[in-house]
Amino acid sequence: RRDLADLFSQYKLGGYAKIGWPGVILIEGRESDCQIFVDEIKRWRWQQIQVRGEEQKVIPEGERLDSHRQLPIKFEEIGEDGLS
């Protein structure tokens, strides 16, 4: 969990993670940072991991990504009963 939180921070990603079965990770950030994050966690010891969807949004020139975020700017862990 600490490694996951460290990666979120390292790549300036926002989003959620629910650890356990089924686990869910939802990330938001620069496309290149998201891809590096996914590549990195795929190397970890997971029983199974899949990217189930992605969405890109063009940020207008001169605007900051943070003003367009839909998810929390920092990583948030959701408890076992957080998703149903």
Side-chain angles (χ1 to χ4, degrees):
R1 289 179 177 172
R2 175 191 254 167
D3 291 340
L4 191 60
D6 289 346
L7 271 185
F8 266 88
S9 178
Q10 179 180 344
Y11 294 110
K12 298 177 180 66
L13 301 176
Y16 300 103
K18 178 189 165 285
I19 308 300
W21 186 259
V24 175
I25 300 173
L26 183 62
I27 61 174
E28 178 180 60
R30 288 183 45 224
E31 184 176 4
S32 60
D33 293 334
C34 290
Q35 187 58 55
I36 292 168
F37 176 88
V38 169
D39 292 343
E40 180 72 28
I41 65 171
K42 280 185 173 183
R43 289 190 222 121
W44 295 358
R45 299 176 79 166
W46 303 93
Q47 286 184 354
Q48 180 179 9
I49 187 167
Q50 298 176 349
V51 174
R52 296 275 177 125
E54 59 182 84
E55 180 178 322
Q56 288 88 24
K57 181 177 181 180
V58 176
I59 305 299
E61 186 72 32
E63 292 189 26
R64 295 176 40 97
L65 170 64
D66 288 348
S67 65
H68 292 271
R69 288 186 184 266
Q70 301 296 306
L71 301 176
I73 292 176
K74 296 185 107 183
F75 162 73
E76 290 186 17
E77 187 171 339
I78 298 172
E80 289 290 326
D81 58 347
L83 297 174
S84 49

